[in-house]
Amino acid sequence: MKKKKNALPAKTQTKAQRLDSLPFMHYRYLAMALSAAFMTISVLSFVLRGITWGLDYSGGTLVEVGYAQPAHLNNIRQLLVDNDYENAVVVHFGSDKVILRSAAIF
């Protein structure tokens, strides 16, 4: 990198003067190549994997239940199946909480 004539020492330069001497355009082709690669990966991801819709877009209910003692997930799953909620997902959330997720609980 060439030094400018009559350039001020680094300690006396302003921030704008220091940024002016950075070679941003030197890396433009690398930046364009990385950007194109990330865009290609993103498009391929959508094409190959599709979009996994979350609860916000697919509909359904999420219920967080807290218990005084540790909950037994198998018992909760069996209660849901017995009451016609076969597709409900039951997951531990913390030490004493359980999350129930279903297409339509209520």
Side-chain angles (χ1 to χ4, degrees), residues 11 23 26 39 42 47-48 63:
K11 290 182 180 179
H26 181 73
M39 286 190 295
S42 299
V47 170
L48 297 176
V63 178

Side-chain angles (χ1 to χ4, degrees), residues 50-61:
I51 297 174
T52 304
W53 298 105
L55 188 66
D56 297 338
Y57 299 104
S58 63
T61 304

Side-chain angles (χ1 to χ4, degrees), residues 20-38:
D20 185 41
S21 64
L22 293 177
F24 288 111
M25 294 304 289
H26 181 73
Y27 300 106
R28 68 184 178 271
Y29 295 115
L30 176 64
M32 284 190 281
L34 284 173
S35 179
F38 285 130

Side-chain angles (χ1 to χ4, degrees), residues 7-8 11 23 32 37 41 63 65 80 96 102-103:
L8 297 172
K11 290 182 180 179
M32 284 190 281
I41 291 169
V63 178
V65 182
L80 290 169
D96 59 345
S102 177

Side-chain angles (χ1 to χ4, degrees), residues 2 11 21 36 39 54 57 62 74 82 84-85 88 90 101:
K2 294 181 182 179
K11 290 182 180 179
S21 64
M39 286 190 295
Y57 299 104
L62 181 110
N74 291 332
D82 292 344
D84 298 327
Y85 298 108
V90 181
R101 181 178 174 195

